[in-house]
Every structure is written in structure tokens, then in C-alpha cells.
Amino acid sequence: MLKIGSHVSFSDKGLISATAEATSYGSSSFMIYTGAPQNTRRKPIESMNIEEGKAAMLQAGIDEIVVHAPYIINLGSYKSNTYQLAVDFLQEEIRRTHALGVRNIVLHPGAFTDKDAEFGVARIAEGLNEVLNGTDETDVCIALETMAGKGTEIGRSFEEIAQIIEKVQHNDRLTICMDTCHIHDAGYDIVNDLDGVLRKFDDLIGLKRIEVVHINDSKNPAGAQKDRHTPIGSGWLGFDTINRVVHHEALQGRPFILETPWVGKDAKTQRPMYEVEIALLRGDVEERFGGTFMSEVEQLGAFFAKQDIDPRSYVLDTWSLLKNDAKAKKADPREPMERLYDMAAEAGLFPEHTEEQINQRLIGWFASAR
């Protein structure tokens, strides 16, 4: 079965609540932070309800999950206190990951800030050596994430990641988390040449090191170095590209994790599109949502066709407008999905449906359009 899921929260009930949330989306895997990703505050391992959570996972048929390290870890920093905090806290997170029985902890490699890329690569490798040597009692692997190239972050090219791996002594405990939005934003053309990109990765690093895949669409064109995720089909990658990644024979067996943003006009009622994204990528949308779902998607498509709206052209044209025309963006900053939702809602297409349900059908329309 395709291992596909999403980032889920890790609340007071620990692994139990995380499993329940993942199951509600139809996930067969999921990713957690063991606490808030922006700070180092963590509850004792004993309060994580690990055994009960593992029992819930077993019942749900989930046999592999992923931990993500907090964003505050920066092994690339030249500042000794920042660097040492990163080393010490990453070691602690690895021990928590081990206690959960999880193999991979995903890590943003780090940023060189006021130095240069050469310094950043060397500093990150130094930190990884210290972290791995200090946690040799575990078998947890650090999955270095491919980055978009925002600011001074390292990992924006396959070459930089390969250089880090080469400098690490125990690099058998280094794996890779490949992020579709990130490599697209870094300039790798997975829309038109996915096979070529994977071959290049294999030549420089080795596909066998990929153990996690983040599947996200992007708000920006290739090479933008922005790192701004959007729901599947509503960005520059498009549903077909993400679908090819998920079903590519060279990537099978890995957990595919969604980190797409929640959508909705009211922040209090915003919801993720995880459930419909997972169902569409898995190919069981009618089983999940009922037999009328696709007929309503067709109804939505017929409505937009009468207005000469093609989903891919509309999405890309809207993002281009928002990026290149400051006056137009100021006058109407709505993103493509929000504009399309407003059209459908104003036309009264599905008066019985919630905003979330209409947005789910928009995602279905993106996926069905060829």
C-alpha cells in the first residue's frame, strides 16, 4: 500500500492523538514534531503515550512515521552558542525519536548567515559528526532535507548535500528527505524532466539515500528560491507532476508526506486539504468521499468551462499576476483557489456544502483536468 500521509500535531496525548488525526485524513503514514517547531520546550518522554500510540498505529495499519526536527536548529551557524544549542538539542531530539521507534528525523541542514557556503557546508558536517558520535547508542538516521535556496540556507543543490555527506564520518546514518516544492524552487525541473532530475540525484548522492519525500505544490516558478507551499494542483507543479513523483518506481516504499497549507477565509475554521489530496493520489477518492464527488467535480468543471477558465492556465496566470504586478496584487491579493472558490460560491453551485467541501472539489477539479 502506498505510504502517504501528512504533517500532524503532537498534542498532550502524544502519539495517540497524532495517530487519530492522521487516520482521519486516511493517512498510511504521518510526520510529527515532538513539540513546537519554533522552540526547545519539550515534555518528558514518559508523557508521550508511546505504547498506546503504537497500538493505535498498528490498528490503523500505519507501520512507519517520521519526525521533523525543529526549525530553530542551525548547525551552520558561526556563533558558538547557536551552534552548540543546535548540536545539543538535535541529540535530544534523536533520543526522543528513538524512544518513539522512528527511524528518520528530518533536518533542515542549516544556514551560513554572515559567512559563505563553503563555511556552511563544513560547519554543518562538523555538527553532524558531533551529533552522530553523541547518539551512537541509537539507530536513528538524520534525513537531510533538500532546500529551496531561501536566504543563506545550505542544501539548495544536490552538490551541497553531497559535500556534507562526504565530510561526515558515520554517513551511513545520513539519509535524505526530498521536498518537491523545494527542489522546484531551487531550479530542478521536475515538471518536464523528473527522470532527469532523479538521475542527477542518483549520480551525486544516490537514490537509495532518499527515505522520506515531502510532496508540496509551489506558489512560485522554478528557480524562485522562495519555499512557499500550496495545495496539490494549485501551484506551479500541478497535480500530474506530484502524482508522477508519488508513483515513480524509483521512489516506491518511502513515506510521502504532505505539508500543504490549510485553506479557508476564516482562520478559525481553516482546514487542510490532506484528506482529498491523499485520496486523489491514492486513487480511492470515490471510496473516501462517495459516488457523487466526481460528478460534482465535473459540474464544477462545466461551470468554469463556460467562462473559458482552464485550471492550469488560470492557476499559473494568477500566480504570475500576483508576482509581477504590484498594483494588481494590492487591488486583489486573493490566491487562485480563493478566487475560484468565490466564483463557485457566488454562483450557488453547492449551497449545501461547506467551504471545506467546495475547496475539496476544487482540488478534485485540478486533478481531473488534463
Side-chain angles (χ1 to χ4, degrees), residues 190-192 194 236-246:
I190 62 171
V191 174
N192 300 301
L194 175 60
W236 283 84
L237 292 174
F239 179 85
D240 282 353
T241 296
I242 301 297
N243 197 46
R244 286 197 300 273
V245 170
V246 167

Side-chain angles (χ1 to χ4, degrees), residues 88-336:
D88 294 343
F89 192 62
L90 183 54
Q91 288 179 338
E92 181 183 337
E93 286 291 89
I94 285 175
R95 295 186 184 101
R96 292 169 71 84
T97 300
H98 179 71
L100 286 165
V102 175
R103 171 176 166 80
N104 284 290
I105 179 169
V106 175
L107 176 71
H108 293 183
F112 57 81
T113 59
D114 296 332
K115 297 293 185 176
D116 56 28
E118 183 178 0
F119 173 89
V121 167
R123 185 69 155 169
I124 291 165
E126 177 188 357
L128 289 170
N129 276 319
E130 191 171 345
V131 168
L132 293 172
N133 286 333
T135 56
D136 58 3
E137 77 278 9
T138 80
D139 58 357
V140 173
C141 294
I142 297 174
L144 300 174
E145 186 165 350
T146 57
M147 304 305 292
K150 181 177 60 178
T152 66
E153 63 187 13
I154 293 292
R156 58 201 165 179
S157 70
F158 300 160
E159 286 84 357
E160 282 185 344
I161 294 174
Q163 289 165 16
I164 293 171
I165 293 172
E166 186 178 358
K167 293 177 183 294
V168 174
Q169 296 166 353
H170 300 293
N171 63 25
D172 57 316
R173 285 178 59 201
L174 290 183
T175 57
I176 299 295
C177 171
M178 178 173 278
D179 186 300
T180 55
C181 172
H182 292 180
I183 62 174
H184 164 86
D185 278 26
Y188 293 99
D189 188 5
I190 62 171
V191 174
N192 300 301
D193 190 21
L194 175 60
D195 287 341
V197 172
L198 291 178
R199 280 196 300 271
K200 182 170 185 178
F201 185 95
D202 196 30
D203 290 342
L204 290 169
I205 300 172
L207 287 170
K208 65 182 180 181
R209 282 197 190 267
I210 299 176
E211 295 208 4
V212 183
V213 183
H214 286 170
I215 45 174
N216 305 294
D217 214 325
S218 174
K219 294 182 179 182
N220 290 282
Q225 298 182 320
K226 294 290 187 181
D227 185 12
R228 298 173 66 223
H229 300 184
T230 192
I232 303 302
S234 66
W236 283 84
L237 292 174
F239 179 85
D240 282 353
T241 296
I242 301 297
N243 197 46
R244 286 197 300 273
V245 170
V246 167
H247 294 283
H248 198 287
E249 62 179 1
L251 299 175
Q252 293 314 290
R254 284 82 165 175
F256 295 91
I257 304 296
L258 286 156
E259 299 175 302
T260 51
W262 292 25
V263 297
K265 294 182 178 298
D266 186 346
K268 294 181 180 179
T269 59
Q270 283 182 354
R271 291 279 294 163
M273 293 290 100
Y274 298 153
E275 185 178 9
V276 70
E277 290 170 321
I278 290 169
L280 287 163
L281 290 166
R282 187 179 284 143
D284 62 359
V285 68
E286 290 193 358
E287 178 182 337
R288 187 77 189 179
F289 289 90
T292 62
F293 183 91
M294 290 311 298
S295 63
E296 290 175 344
V297 167
E298 292 173 4
Q299 184 181 346
L300 198 62
F303 166 73
F304 287 126
K306 288 180 181 178
Q307 301 176 65
D308 293 325
I309 294 178
D310 171 78
R312 289 305 298 149
S313 298
Y314 185 86
V315 165
L316 300 187
D317 288 348
T318 303
W319 285 125
S320 295
L321 179 70
L322 293 174
K323 179 178 184 293
N324 299 318
D325 192 329
K327 288 184 178 179
K329 181 177 181 179
K330 185 176 181 180
D332 187 356
R334 292 176 302 163
E335 295 182 355

